Amino acid sequence: MTETPRFTPTRRAVAAALAGFVPAARLLAAPAANTPRPGFLWGTAISGHQSEGNNVHSDAWFLENLEPTAFEDASGDACDSYHRYGEDLDIAASLDLNCYRFGIEWSRIEPEPGRFSIAALDHYKHVLEGCHRRGLLPMVTFNHFTVPLWFADRGGYEVADGADLFARFAERTTAALGPLIGMATTFNEANILLLRKALPRFATDAGAARARNMIETARRRRSAPAFSSYLFADPDRVDPILRDAHAKAYQAIKAGPGDFPVGLTLSMQQIDGVGPNAAQIQAGVEAMIYGEWIDAARHSDFVGVQTYSRLRFNDDGLMPAPEGAELTAMGYEYYPAAVGATLRYAARHIDKPVYLTETGIGTDDDRRRIAFIDATLNELRRCIADGIDVKGYIYWSLLDNFEWTRGYAPHFGLVAVDRHNFARTPKPSARHFGAIARRAHGGRP
Ligand code: BGC
């Protein structure tokens, strides 16, 4: 169990408290998180919207319940982790993990523009304290895809001052929670829209048409012509504003209180060029999907690599998976070697500590999950043997949870969740992953 060191509030924290954001007494009572980080992080990841349930002030909630919608299910109660987070933390601790990556929900903390909820901040304070009590280093994602509905109404990250509003949220949240945070990332998969742009199939298929329809309907229903929901937004308009938002939020979080590394995570799939122009194709696609985010990562404290598969491109664009290849429940290729390729890419291009902040497999066959975990481990070992300083392996996900437009069908969890009574049942893969972490004892694989 983590010792609870004393917390000396900074001038900024006291100023924030005096301004009425957080009662000073609470700040003074808050334990600090500035405990030494374990040598290697063994953890699981989860996001707010996908697990908490009833995230009713978010853009995603509105869109899921719209007619027409691009979502196969509405998130509803999700895993009810907003109330059952203690059980989730107990499971993570029982697996001998030392890190818990989770997201905080902006729309709970700031349900109306400029109105910050002390109760919501308190909730996350309890989650953070729960992590420390169980020896789990909390890695906090400030924005995992969802935004407040009011923010979507005014144009989301497609309007320039969206960056300032995100930075303000980051500042207020840090004022309340900073001393308890172990590590933080601003955006989850900051380049996800660039990746979508590189996959032309997404832009032409029925799913894209459904999404366009949904957003048009949202604009009418909300009387908000600028309505922009991050996952469905225009990549070219969002990308520069998101980089500005990352830079400003990074500054706001680093200003404290609290002293912890702040980074970002990137969606990094292995890119294979095919055909006589393979090398140029690969370089071109990589340039397209990472854009200027490699540089943004270089100016952060660390980068989180998130890898699920590989993508093959020839001169005509994205190719289907090779004939006979095993596909996961998401329809893409089972290809754990992508983990090694992307960790190498990150290490080669970004001279900052590298964490594997997400990888996992959607499957109903838990034996394939165990195989995927073992294959990931081998990739990590090879990278480390080659001198790459990978600092953590965080599995997506602790729980079977809400898989965005795919609803509840794909199962990524180490732990099954009963959709009627929320009972959690660890799968054999959970015990497998836990046994690996236990053997490593906070060290490298
Ligand atoms: C996202 C998660 C998602 C996972 C599996 C990642 O891109 O960060 O929110 O559930 O992939 O698809």
Side-chain angles (χ1 to χ4, degrees):
M1 291 249 274
T2 315
E3 279 290 294
T4 304
R6 289 182 101 72
F7 166 51
T8 317
T10 62
R11 251 185 304 159
R12 192 163 172 271
V14 172
L18 292 177
F21 308 135
V22 184
R26 288 212 190 119
L27 275 174
L28 293 168
N34 303 339
T35 44
R37 271 181 293 285
F40 189 90
L41 299 186
W42 292 94
T44 56
I46 196 108
S47 84
H49 187 76
Q50 293 175 270
S51 65
E52 288 176 346
N54 297 296
N55 189 20
V56 298
H57 299 296
S58 68
D59 61 335
W61 179 274
F62 177 74
L63 294 175
E64 290 156 22
N65 291 290
L66 198 62
E67 196 48 60
T69 182
F71 288 82
E72 283 170 30
D73 284 321
S75 55
D77 287 320
C79 308
D80 194 30
S81 290
Y82 198 76
H83 301 106
R84 293 167 203 257
Y85 67 88
E87 271 179 66
D88 299 344
L89 297 177
D90 281 345
I91 295 172
S94 76
L95 299 176
D96 280 318
L97 305 179
N98 60 16
C99 171
Y100 194 77
R101 177 172 179 251
F102 70 101
I104 52 177
E105 274 301 313
W106 182 3
S107 66
R108 291 188 193 275
I109 293 174
E110 192 182 358
E112 299 280 342
R115 291 187 58 181
F116 290 84
S117 161
I118 292 172
L121 287 166
D122 256 5
H123 165 81
Y124 290 116
K125 182 171 158 247
H126 295 145
V127 179
L128 289 162
E129 286 169 344
C131 288
H132 290 293
R133 270 200 302 280
R134 293 166 177 85
L136 297 164
L137 182 92
M139 185 188 281
V140 172
T141 309
F142 273 68
N143 198 180
H144 197 125
F145 299 160
T146 45
V147 297
L149 188 53
W150 62 260
F151 182 78
D153 280 348
R154 69 190 298 291
Y157 295 114
E158 292 191 54
V159 288
D161 66 348
D164 302 300
L165 294 173
F166 178 65
R168 179 179 71 175
F169 153 70
E171 184 195 329
R172 304 286 169 94
T173 300
T174 307
L177 305 179
L180 290 165
I181 295 176
M183 290 177 81
T185 58
T186 52
F187 289 104
N188 178 67
E189 301 190 341
N191 64 327
I192 188 78
L193 292 187
L194 299 183
L195 178 69
R196 203 188 70 197
K197 197 175 150 188
L199 304 178
R201 271 201 325 210
F202 279 24
T204 52
D205 68 9
R210 267 207 308 278
R212 265 198 311 275
N213 237 332
M214 174 183 74
I215 297 298
E216 283 312 319
T217 310
R219 287 184 174 146
R220 282 197 302 276
R221 284 276 306 279
R222 300 288 303 163
S223 307
F227 184 95
S228 169
S229 175
Y230 173 57
L231 278 182
F232 305 96
D234 176 345
D236 294 321
R237 287 169 69 161
V238 164
D239 197 58
I241 296 168
L242 208 67
R243 271 184 283 116
D244 190 34
H246 164 73
K248 287 176 170 158
Y250 174 87
Q251 295 298 341
I253 301 169
K254 289 304 280 188
D259 181 13
F260 50 87
V262 181
L264 57 89
T265 77
L266 295 176
S267 174
M268 302 186 78
Q269 313 313 321
Q270 177 174 331
I271 304 299
D272 285 350
V274 176
N277 303 320
Q280 290 108 292
I281 293 173
Q282 180 184 338
V285 174
E286 285 168 349
M288 193 191 286
I289 67 175
Y290 299 129
E292 292 177 43
W293 285 104
I294 297 291
D295 198 51
R298 285 192 194 118
H299 290 92
S300 309
D301 300 340
F302 70 94
V303 63
V305 169
Q306 310 203 158
T307 306
Y308 287 88
S309 189
R310 73 161 167 175
L311 299 168
R312 302 182 323 137
F313 291 82
N314 61 16
D315 281 322
D316 300 327
L318 183 66
M319 299 169 68
E323 189 113 31
E326 177 181 348
L327 304 182
T328 73
M330 298 296 282
Y332 47 66
E333 191 180 354
Y334 173 92
Y335 201 77
V339 168
T342 50
L343 287 171
R344 285 168 207 279
Y345 185 93
R348 210 165 44 241
H349 290 87
I350 306 167
D351 189 21
K352 289 285 164 162
V354 177
Y355 294 81
L356 182 60
T357 43
E358 273 186 35
T359 191
I361 174 175
T363 180
D364 287 333
D365 181 352
D366 200 48
R367 288 167 309 180
R368 296 313 288 150
R369 192 174 342 273
I370 289 175
F372 189 88
I373 289 170
D374 287 343
T376 301
L377 209 61
N378 283 335
E379 293 299 324
L380 285 168
R381 287 189 180 127
R382 273 190 219 121
C383 285
I384 291 169
D386 290 348
I388 297 173
D389 190 16
V390 189
K391 289 182 172 301
Y393 173 9
I394 299 177
Y395 180 83
W396 180 274
S397 176
L398 179 68
L399 307 176
D400 285 341
N401 62 75
F402 181 67
E403 183 52 33
W404 303 112
T405 51
R406 299 290 304 277
Y408 287 102
H411 296 135
F412 277 88
L414 298 172
V415 177
V417 178
D418 186 304
R419 299 238 40 77
H420 301 288
N421 61 16
F422 310 111
R424 277 99 164 111
T425 309
K427 304 175 189 176
S429 56
R431 287 185 282 279
H432 186 73
F433 189 55
I436 294 167
R438 191 167 314 123
R439 276 199 298 278
H441 206 69
R444 292 162 142 200

